[in-house]
Amino acid sequence: ASEDDKTRFLQEARAAASLTHPNICTIFAIEEYTEEGESGSRFFFAMEYLEGKTLRHSMNDIGIQRALDIGHQVAEGLAAAHDRGIVHRDVKAENIMARPDGRVQIMDFGLAKVRGGSALTKAGSTVGTIGYMSPEQIQGMDVDHRADIFSLGVLLYEMASGSLPFKGVHDAAIMYEIVNVQPPPPSEIKNNVPAELDRIIGKCLAKDREDRYQSARDIAVDLKILRKQSGSGIIAGTASGVQRPASSGSREAIPQPSAPSPAAVEGTASGVASPGSSPSGSAIPAIPNRKPLYFGGGALLLLAVIASLWYFSGGSSSSVISSMVVLPFENVGNNPDLEYLSDGVTEGIINKVSRIPNLRVIPRSAAFRFKGSTKDPKSIGDELGVDAVLSGRLVQRGDRLDMTLELIDVKAYSQMWGESYRRTMNDLMTVQDEIVGEVEGKIRPGSGRASAENPATETKDPVAYKLYLQGKYYWNKRTAPDLEKALSYFQQAVALDPSYARAHLGAAETYLLQGQYSDKRSADVLAMAESEALKSLALDNSLGEAHAALGMVRERYWDWQGAEKEFKLAVEKAPAYATSYHWYSIYLSMMGKQSEALSVIQKGAELDPYSPIILVNLAIGYIHAGDMTAAGEVLRKIQAIDPLFFFSNVWLTAVYEAEGRKAEAIRNLDRLELGNLSSNNLGFVGFYYGELGLRAKADSLLRVLITKSTRENSDPVAVAMVYCGLGNADSAMVWLGKAFNQPDKSQTLPNTRSWREFGLVHNDPRYIALMKQIGIM
């Protein structure tokens, strides 16, 4: 009708025609023609012919599995459009075509803005179809792609439950519900709806668009995962089996993200008081200015009255949060080159939220058991016994980093907070502080902030921080090749920022592990570990983890008083750091203080109940106490976590042997892959082969270890251990003497006092004299 309309039509039609995707109806041409007898031309577009039915015509025939499939396809189509900056604005069942081959395609892309969708909406105000419109569309605000996400949530709700989420006898009532009322979860309408689908739909329908999914692709991924689970029959419970707050008949029974302002009108209707005080004196928040809706006076009056009643009703109270877990962030797209980033961001947030006062935070080892898990947050929270679960997703696009987070109240099974962040890689450190600040504000409203970390502990160099994250990623893998990679990254981080205390600490911890997981010369790695630990403490003496590392260095230098001093400082300055208790318990065991060692390692296991190495030392503590039953229970728990963890299998072999279960003990040993084991670990295997009567296998490993000792930096203690298994005390003492007399102090010789593998010589006068020379008897 006007040049402006024509210009807008061409602009939007061309944008829609630029979309090529299997789930979008294709536009082939945009042309104009002149009717005979007319003076002006008309525009038209030629679109793909689609055979099938719209979802409106087949809504009653949609089951849950098909609904998930349709939702996934629609989300993929929307994601492709949003990537091009195009918003549909009118996603609804009538605009989705279901083809006979199962594919669905979105129609009328980009044209809803021109054509409108309701008799109530006028050009320049709101656009869309009542019932599918987002709160911001209702309020006349500018809309973005998140309006489509809300509409997709309505569509999913309708397919899952068989009815629209927002109902009313007239359009004004529907609009009020969209802005103010949280619909019941679909599972309360149909009991076969999975709890995870409730969650997905609820997040799509968040009133505040900042609390919704921030990407249609994220919805597509979640629906795809749920569809696989549902199809395989392993879906983690349906909503009917999930504990929910008792419904009071109110549609706000399930707590949701913060609600927006309850009305989107400017001014008041005639005869309705302006916002002020309630009759009881309680203040009513002012209604913010919005673009006016085009309602009749009666509808406006109705909305104003209902809005006032909504304000008088008050809010719901939140649970007290005293514990939480930060789940491993999902690496969207499973890019192996970014795995270090998702792991590192998770670990960084764990470290920071751990400083929130009076909050128990599940440690990394326990949280990372759920990496890649399809369990819903409530199930994980219940399993770990925590009040809140923080989960996140991370995707990198060039130098841009997109992060989406959600904080779930486990008891109420509701979202406490959700946010999306779009930052550059250079903002990686600051965005973690923002996230922790938001989380703390939700679980500790009005309280003091978490104690800040010493600035020297961290770095301001984003490249150094990225290198540090890569180092931690490989350090956690605990293999000789991965430790080499970790050390390289930590060294590069230190080279960029010599004042980066945590990077120095990472290098120190890597050197310490190299003494255990590789055959590097102990004197070399120990000296470097000491140097890096001291540098870290010079930059930040409050860093408890660095005191723990230095304590281990002092122990391996046979500086017993220095070791105990550092371990005590580590426990004092980082009381939630489980490794300090782990290493301190090893020291106490060497000193012959077995009951005290057991008490300390029990504390470490309480802090980190899923760390295989900490649990192994807990089992060893029970073995020293003569409680083989408790030791076996702990070791079998480790096998449930990591069936191939070396030390759990070794010590479970000891338990089976003590219980007379020789066949199971041998079977346990045969599970081990010996190719990548260090000399010390081969010594354990050789000992048990000998003790179990498998002399040929023990002799074979003995020859390997003796050969290695002549040309590598192999610890003589490993050879002595095999001789103990073979019952040869004299040869064992010869090799223990070599360990004592070698130029470098043996890192494992003092441990033999607490290792049951050396029980053959524990009462030998030669051994006792050796331990006295070392200074631990």
Side-chain angles (χ1 to χ4, degrees):
S2 70
E3 288 302 316
D4 286 344
D5 285 342
K6 292 177 182 178
T7 300
R8 186 165 60 177
F9 176 87
L10 285 172
Q11 176 181 336
E12 296 187 4
R14 285 170 183 150
S18 72
L19 296 173
T20 303
H21 190 273
N23 299 120
I24 297 176
C25 177
T26 303
I27 294 178
F28 293 116
I30 304 164
E31 299 180 14
E32 60 180 311
Y33 75 102
T34 302
E35 285 274 2
E36 185 176 351
E38 290 187 358
S39 58
S41 61
R42 297 190 183 192
F43 290 95
F44 71 94
F45 65 88
M47 61 175 274
E48 175 184 8
Y49 171 69
L50 300 182
E51 183 179 358
K53 296 180 179 179
T54 68
L55 290 189
R56 175 59 59 223
H57 291 100
S58 55
M59 187 62 72
N60 294 332
D61 302 324
I62 298 175
I64 289 296
Q65 190 71 6
R66 178 58 173 157
L68 295 173
D69 179 36
I70 292 171
H72 171 254
Q73 293 189 56
V74 173
E76 289 284 8
L78 289 174
H82 296 166
D83 285 346
R84 300 293 298 269
I86 300 171
V87 183
H88 191 290
R89 305 180 190 88
D90 197 20
V91 175
K92 58 183 178 181
E94 289 81 357
N95 282 340
I96 309 297
M97 180 68 81
R99 301 180 359 163
D101 62 1
R103 190 198 302 180
V104 299
Q105 289 177 271
I106 310 169
M107 302 183 293
D108 288 356
F109 235 106
L111 301 181
K113 183 177 180 182
V114 177
R115 299 189 315 181
S118 166
L120 279 183
T121 59
K122 310 297 181 186
S125 57
T126 56
V127 178
T129 300
I130 299 296
Y132 289 88
M133 293 166 64
S134 66
E136 59 267 26
Q137 285 175 289
I138 294 289
Q139 294 169 331
M141 301 164 62
D142 289 336
V143 299
D144 58 20
H145 66 283
R146 291 171 293 185
D148 284 350
I149 288 173
F150 187 93
S151 300
L152 175 56
V154 174
L155 184 66
L156 288 168
Y157 190 106
E158 187 177 11
M159 289 191 291
S161 70
S163 63
L164 286 166
F166 307 107
K167 305 180 182 72
V169 294
H170 45 69
D171 288 342
I174 297 173
M175 288 182 168
Y176 170 79
E177 285 218 354
I178 290 172
V179 175
N180 298 299
V181 177
Q182 188 63 39
S187 61
E188 290 189 5
I189 302 171
K190 285 191 175 181
N191 60 12
N192 67 332
V193 178
E196 174 65 2
L197 184 55
D198 272 353
R199 183 195 69 81
I200 293 169
I201 292 172
K203 191 169 181 179
C204 289
L205 295 180
K207 305 299 185 186
D208 186 339
R209 55 186 163 189
E210 296 295 332
D211 293 334
R212 286 175 214 152
Y213 281 98
Q214 301 298 296
S215 162
R217 189 159 285 110
D218 287 347
I219 306 173
V221 171
D222 281 357
L223 289 171
K224 183 178 181 181
I225 292 171
L226 181 58
R227 184 160 56 94
K228 287 182 179 178
Q229 293 173 339
S230 179
S232 63
I234 59 169
I235 199 162
T238 60
S240 59
V242 176
Q243 184 178 0
R244 297 186 180 279
S247 174
S248 61
S250 165
R251 301 189 66 178
E252 286 88 351
I254 305 297
Q256 293 292 331
S258 56
S261 57
V265 294
E266 188 175 71
T268 58
S270 175
V272 177
S274 300
S277 300
S278 70
S280 62
S282 59
I284 301 176
I287 299 175
N289 290 330
R290 301 289 189 198
K291 292 182 182 178
L293 294 177
Y294 290 88
F295 298 150
L300 189 62
L301 174 62
L302 173 66
L303 285 180
V305 171
I306 297 176
S308 299
L309 293 174
W310 184 87
Y311 272 130
F312 283 123
S313 67
S316 60
S317 59
S318 60
S319 305
V320 175
I321 304 299
S322 61
S323 58
M324 72 177 295
V325 62
V326 182
L327 295 179
F329 278 31
E330 179 186 350
N331 171 14
V332 179
N334 295 316
N335 184 345
D337 295 332
L338 294 180
E339 200 66 17
Y340 80 91
L341 198 60
S342 55
D343 285 5
V345 169
T346 306
E347 189 167 347
I349 292 176
I350 290 174
N351 291 337
K352 291 176 184 294
V353 297
S354 295
R355 295 198 295 273
I356 297 176
N358 303 315
L359 180 68
R360 178 175 66 89
V361 180
I362 298 297
R364 180 193 187 280
S365 62
F368 271 69
R369 286 180 59 238
F370 298 96
K371 184 172 181 178
S373 172
T374 55
K375 288 185 176 181
D376 65 274
K378 177 174 172 58
S379 298
I380 295 174
D382 288 339
E383 184 174 336
L384 292 173
V386 296
D387 301 322
V389 175
L390 179 66
S391 61
R393 311 179 74 182
L394 180 149
V395 60
Q396 186 180 15
R397 296 184 175 94
D399 188 48
R400 196 183 79 204
L401 196 66
D402 292 346
M403 299 170 64
T404 304
L405 294 97
E406 184 178 42
L407 181 65
I408 299 294
D409 183 328
V410 174
K411 294 176 182 175
Y413 198 27
S414 64
Q415 185 190 61
M416 297 178 65
W417 169 79
E419 186 60 271
S420 292
Y421 298 85
R422 179 166 291 183
R423 300 287 191 274
T424 66
M425 289 291 291
N426 290 346
D427 300 322
L428 193 55
M429 295 170 290
T430 56
V431 74
Q432 291 181 54
D433 290 328
E434 289 181 47
I435 292 167
V436 174
E438 292 283 357
V439 170
E440 186 173 10
K442 290 297 178 184
I443 64 177
R444 294 288 185 273
S447 67
R449 306 297 292 171
S451 58
E453 195 160 32
N454 186 324
T457 304
E458 301 296 348
T459 181
K460 294 182 179 178
D461 188 325
V463 179
Y465 183 61
K466 180 180 176 181
L467 291 165
Y468 171 78
L469 293 183
Q470 290 172 298
K472 288 295 289 183
Y473 175 74
Y474 286 106
W475 185 84
N476 279 304
K477 289 181 175 289
R478 298 290 210 281
T479 69
D482 288 318
L483 289 172
E484 282 291 339
K485 292 179 183 177
L487 185 59
S488 173
Y489 284 119
F490 288 135
Q491 289 171 333
Q492 292 178 64
V494 166
L496 279 176
D497 185 357
S499 64
Y500 190 1
R502 280 206 180 275
H504 287 289
L505 171 60
E509 291 176 325
T510 305
Y511 283 123
L512 284 171
L513 287 185
Q514 283 185 322
Q516 178 181 351
Y517 290 91
S518 71
D519 288 324
K520 287 204 167 189
R521 186 169 175 264
S522 60
D524 292 340
V525 294
L526 202 55
M528 294 305 297
E530 180 181 37
S531 173
E532 294 295 342
L534 288 171
K535 288 176 183 176
S536 180
L537 287 170
L539 292 163
D540 182 4
N541 189 53
S542 68
L543 199 55
E545 297 95 323
H547 282 288
L550 188 57
M552 186 59 80
V553 170
R554 295 283 180 254
E555 176 192 297
R556 292 181 179 176
Y557 273 136
W558 303 356
D559 175 5
W560 310 119
Q561 288 184 340
E564 184 164 29
K565 173 188 174 184
E566 293 300 330
F567 287 139
K568 286 182 175 179
L569 283 170
V571 170
E572 174 191 334
K573 294 180 181 296
Y577 183 52
T579 299
S580 297
Y581 298 91
H582 168 208
W583 289 349
Y584 189 22
S585 73
I586 294 173
Y587 164 83
L588 291 168
S589 185
M590 285 191 297
M591 296 297 109
K593 301 176 181 179
Q594 300 302 343
S595 61
E596 192 176 344
L598 178 57
S599 176
V600 170
I601 193 62
Q602 284 173 330
K603 175 64 176 176
E606 288 174 12
L607 289 168
D608 197 345
Y610 294 98
S611 166
I613 192 63
I614 289 178
L615 291 177
V616 160
N617 279 273
L618 176 61
I620 293 171
Y622 285 130
I623 289 172
H624 286 313
D627 191 345
M628 288 294 183
T629 301
E633 289 175 358
V634 172
L635 292 166
R636 279 183 280 274
K637 177 181 178 181
I638 301 169
Q639 287 203 320
I641 299 170
D642 184 353
L644 297 180
F645 186 62
F646 174 79
F647 288 109
S648 63
N649 282 286
V650 163
W651 287 90
L652 197 53
T653 298
V655 170
Y656 286 148
E657 185 187 19
E659 294 173 343
R661 298 156 67 181
K662 182 177 178 180
E664 289 178 76
I666 293 173
R667 188 161 53 249
N668 223 50
L669 279 183
D670 288 342
R671 300 173 63 188
L672 300 174
E673 296 182 8
L674 307 183
N676 294 322
L677 294 182
S678 66
S679 295
N680 282 328
N681 291 351
L682 285 175
F684 280 101
V685 178
F687 168 84
Y688 283 102
Y689 277 147
E691 192 167 64
L692 290 166
L694 306 175
R695 293 191 65 90
K697 289 186 175 182
D699 285 336
S700 175
L701 283 182
L702 189 61
R703 287 191 295 272
V704 170
L705 289 170
I706 291 174
T707 301
K708 285 166 71 79
S709 71
T710 62
R711 63 185 184 212
E712 297 178 19
N713 300 305
S714 181
D715 193 341
V717 169
V719 178
M721 195 183 308
V722 181
Y723 275 123
C724 283
L726 291 168
N728 190 337
D730 290 339
S731 294
M733 287 307 307
V734 168
W735 282 88
L736 288 174
K738 288 182 179 181
F740 179 79
N741 292 312
Q742 67 184 10
D744 305 334
K745 290 183 183 295
S746 168
Q747 295 186 22
T748 56
L749 181 57
N751 294 88
T752 61
R753 186 184 178 194
S754 61
W755 286 349
R756 69 171 296 276
E757 289 80 4
F758 286 87
L760 179 70
V761 297
H762 277 165
N763 294 321
D764 191 311
R766 295 170 294 179
Y767 181 81
I768 294 172
L770 190 62
M771 292 297 105
K772 286 181 178 179
Q773 285 182 276
I774 292 174
I776 59 175
M777 286 186 76

